[in-house]
Amino acid sequence: MDIVDRARLFATAAHEAAGNVRKYTFEPYIVHPAEFVEILKGVPHTDEMLAAAWLHDVVEDTEVKSGIMMEFLESIVNNDTANEIGKAVFLSHSKNRLNTTDQLVTM
């Protein structure tokens, strides 16, 4: 199983355990990251980018803490790659979105 599939399964389990659903439609929350992944597939991307897309709301919207997220990432990829994915996941929820975009572009 590749990192994209493992990230998808981890994110799905975390959001289901938290009982997360989308506002207004009440669909399972995992629909949102799935849509984000599909958008990224339309542009040049890496598997690491797709994994980050699956995981981008897990720490903010579930009981999974950042340390657990990093342990998961380190179990599926090397430490350097885990750190890069972790940066993308955690930066996606920065209070300064413009600065976040600038930082992600330079990664």
Side-chain angles (χ1 to χ4, degrees):
M1 185 178 313
D2 68 14
I3 66 169
V4 177
D5 288 333
R6 293 183 74 180
R8 178 182 51 79
L9 292 174
F10 186 87
T12 299
H15 286 294
E16 284 178 357
N20 293 345
V21 294
R22 296 198 65 188
K23 293 180 195 174
Y24 313 115
T25 66
F26 303 104
E27 296 171 295
Y29 188 81
I30 202 65
V31 169
H32 165 64
E35 290 170 343
F36 187 22
V37 167
E38 289 306 311
I39 291 168
L40 284 178
K41 285 181 178 179
V43 299
H45 63 276
T46 64
D47 284 349
E48 291 79 11
M49 291 169 66
L50 298 179
W54 280 113
L55 299 168
H56 80 275
D57 280 337
V58 169
V59 172
E60 181 179 32
D61 295 338
T62 74
E63 296 299 314
V64 175
K65 303 297 179 215
S66 59
I68 300 294
M69 173 71 78
M70 289 308 298
E71 286 177 19
F72 166 72
L73 290 171
E74 290 167 357
S75 77
I76 64 171
V77 294
N78 66 52
N79 286 350
D80 290 339
T81 302
N83 286 331
E84 291 304 310
I85 295 171
K87 284 181 197 175
V89 168
F90 301 126
L91 284 173
S92 73
H93 293 288
S94 170
K95 292 184 193 265
N96 184 346
R97 296 288 175 142
L98 180 59
N99 188 33
T100 297
T101 302
D102 293 341
Q103 291 176 21
L104 288 172
V105 168
T106 62
M107 288 177 69

PDB file of all heavy atoms in Angstrom, residues 94-104:
ATOM      1  N   SER A  94      -2.561  27.657   9.395  1.00  0.00           N
ATOM      2  CA  SER A  94      -1.956  28.856   9.944  1.00  0.00           C
ATOM      3  C   SER A  94      -2.982  29.979   9.945  1.00  0.00           C
ATOM      4  O   SER A  94      -3.831  30.065   9.074  1.00  0.00           O
ATOM      5  CB  SER A  94      -0.748  29.252   9.097  1.00  0.00           C
ATOM      6  OG  SER A  94      -0.288  30.524   9.463  1.00  0.00           O
ATOM      7  N   LYS A  95      -2.862  30.876  10.902  1.00  0.00           N
ATOM      8  CA  LYS A  95      -3.778  32.016  10.962  1.00  0.00           C
ATOM      9  C   LYS A  95      -3.515  33.004   9.827  1.00  0.00           C
ATOM     10  O   LYS A  95      -4.394  33.727   9.415  1.00  0.00           O
ATOM     11  CB  LYS A  95      -3.646  32.718  12.313  1.00  0.00           C
ATOM     12  CG  LYS A  95      -4.154  31.869  13.444  1.00  0.00           C
ATOM     13  CD  LYS A  95      -4.111  32.626  14.745  1.00  0.00           C
ATOM     14  CE  LYS A  95      -4.308  31.706  15.893  1.00  0.00           C
ATOM     15  NZ  LYS A  95      -5.420  31.446  16.500  1.00  0.00           N
ATOM     16  N   ASN A  96      -2.307  33.020   9.318  1.00  0.00           N
ATOM     17  CA  ASN A  96      -1.962  33.938   8.233  1.00  0.00           C
ATOM     18  C   ASN A  96      -1.920  33.140   6.931  1.00  0.00           C
ATOM     19  O   ASN A  96      -0.895  32.655   6.516  1.00  0.00           O
ATOM     20  CB  ASN A  96      -0.614  34.602   8.515  1.00  0.00           C
ATOM     21  CG  ASN A  96      -0.259  35.631   7.480  1.00  0.00           C
ATOM     22  OD1 ASN A  96      -0.869  35.694   6.412  1.00  0.00           O
ATOM     23  ND2 ASN A  96       0.726  36.451   7.777  1.00  0.00           N
ATOM     24  N   ARG A  97      -3.052  33.009   6.266  1.00  0.00           N
ATOM     25  CA  ARG A  97      -3.157  32.179   5.060  1.00  0.00           C
ATOM     26  C   ARG A  97      -2.255  32.666   3.931  1.00  0.00           C
ATOM     27  O   ARG A  97      -1.684  31.873   3.219  1.00  0.00           O
ATOM     28  CB  ARG A  97      -4.608  32.110   4.565  1.00  0.00           C
ATOM     29  CG  ARG A  97      -5.550  31.449   5.536  1.00  0.00           C
ATOM     30  CD  ARG A  97      -5.296  29.967   5.594  1.00  0.00           C
ATOM     31  NE  ARG A  97      -6.129  29.373   6.622  1.00  0.00           N
ATOM     32  CZ  ARG A  97      -6.703  28.213   6.513  1.00  0.00           C
ATOM     33  NH1 ARG A  97      -6.539  27.487   5.446  1.00  0.00           N
ATOM     34  NH2 ARG A  97      -7.428  27.743   7.489  1.00  0.00           N
ATOM     35  N   LEU A  98      -2.106  33.981   3.755  1.00  0.00           N
ATOM     36  CA  LEU A  98      -1.252  34.481   2.684  1.00  0.00           C
ATOM     37  C   LEU A  98       0.187  34.045   2.921  1.00  0.00           C
ATOM     38  O   LEU A  98       0.856  33.545   2.023  1.00  0.00           O
ATOM     39  CB  LEU A  98      -1.345  36.007   2.592  1.00  0.00           C
ATOM     40  CG  LEU A  98      -0.497  36.669   1.502  1.00  0.00           C
ATOM     41  CD1 LEU A  98      -0.894  36.111   0.125  1.00  0.00           C
ATOM     42  CD2 LEU A  98      -0.665  38.165   1.534  1.00  0.00           C
ATOM     43  N   ASN A  99       0.663  34.200   4.137  1.00  0.00           N
ATOM     44  CA  ASN A  99       2.014  33.776   4.479  1.00  0.00           C
ATOM     45  C   ASN A  99       2.154  32.265   4.313  1.00  0.00           C
ATOM     46  O   ASN A  99       3.178  31.778   3.844  1.00  0.00           O
ATOM     47  CB  ASN A  99       2.351  34.203   5.913  1.00  0.00           C
ATOM     48  CG  ASN A  99       3.798  33.957   6.250  1.00  0.00           C
ATOM     49  OD1 ASN A  99       4.683  34.050   5.405  1.00  0.00           O
ATOM     50  ND2 ASN A  99       4.050  33.639   7.497  1.00  0.00           N
ATOM     51  N   THR A 100       1.134  31.523   4.669  1.00  0.00           N
ATOM     52  CA  THR A 100       1.154  30.073   4.512  1.00  0.00           C
ATOM     53  C   THR A 100       1.336  29.693   3.059  1.00  0.00           C
ATOM     54  O   THR A 100       2.148  28.831   2.722  1.00  0.00           O
ATOM     55  CB  THR A 100      -0.157  29.453   5.043  1.00  0.00           C
ATOM     56  OG1 THR A 100      -0.249  29.733   6.438  1.00  0.00           O
ATOM     57  CG2 THR A 100      -0.189  27.952   4.825  1.00  0.00           C
ATOM     58  N   THR A 101       0.610  30.332   2.167  1.00  0.00           N
ATOM     59  CA  THR A 101       0.730  30.041   0.748  1.00  0.00           C
ATOM     60  C   THR A 101       2.150  30.316   0.283  1.00  0.00           C
ATOM     61  O   THR A 101       2.737  29.495  -0.435  1.00  0.00           O
ATOM     62  CB  THR A 101      -0.268  30.891  -0.054  1.00  0.00           C
ATOM     63  OG1 THR A 101      -1.578  30.621   0.425  1.00  0.00           O
ATOM     64  CG2 THR A 101      -0.183  30.578  -1.545  1.00  0.00           C
ATOM     65  N   ASP A 102       2.729  31.429   0.695  1.00  0.00           N
ATOM     66  CA  ASP A 102       4.109  31.743   0.324  1.00  0.00           C
ATOM     67  C   ASP A 102       5.057  30.661   0.826  1.00  0.00           C
ATOM     68  O   ASP A 102       5.967  30.250   0.122  1.00  0.00           O
ATOM     69  CB  ASP A 102       4.536  33.093   0.894  1.00  0.00           C
ATOM     70  CG  ASP A 102       3.793  34.263   0.269  1.00  0.00           C
ATOM     71  OD1 ASP A 102       3.217  34.085  -0.831  1.00  0.00           O
ATOM     72  OD2 ASP A 102       3.782  35.334   0.899  1.00  0.00           O
ATOM     73  N   GLN A 103       4.862  30.197   2.058  1.00  0.00           N
ATOM     74  CA  GLN A 103       5.734  29.171   2.619  1.00  0.00           C
ATOM     75  C   GLN A 103       5.587  27.852   1.873  1.00  0.00           C
ATOM     76  O   GLN A 103       6.575  27.166   1.618  1.00  0.00           O
ATOM     77  CB  GLN A 103       5.426  28.973   4.106  1.00  0.00           C
ATOM     78  CG  GLN A 103       5.833  30.149   4.955  1.00  0.00           C
ATOM     79  CD  GLN A 103       5.428  29.980   6.413  1.00  0.00           C
ATOM     80  OE1 GLN A 103       5.195  28.871   6.863  1.00  0.00           O
ATOM     81  NE2 GLN A 103       5.334  31.067   7.126  1.00  0.00           N
ATOM     82  N   LEU A 104       4.368  27.473   1.518  1.00  0.00           N
ATOM     83  CA  LEU A 104       4.156  26.220   0.810  1.00  0.00           C
ATOM     84  C   LEU A 104       4.781  26.250  -0.575  1.00  0.00           C
ATOM     85  O   LEU A 104       5.342  25.255  -1.033  1.00  0.00           O
ATOM     86  CB  LEU A 104       2.655  25.906   0.686  1.00  0.00           C
ATOM     87  CG  LEU A 104       1.981  25.479   1.975  1.00  0.00           C
ATOM     88  CD1 LEU A 104       0.477  25.386   1.757  1.00  0.00           C
ATOM     89  CD2 LEU A 104       2.513  24.155   2.468  1.00  0.00           C
TER      90      LEU A 104
END
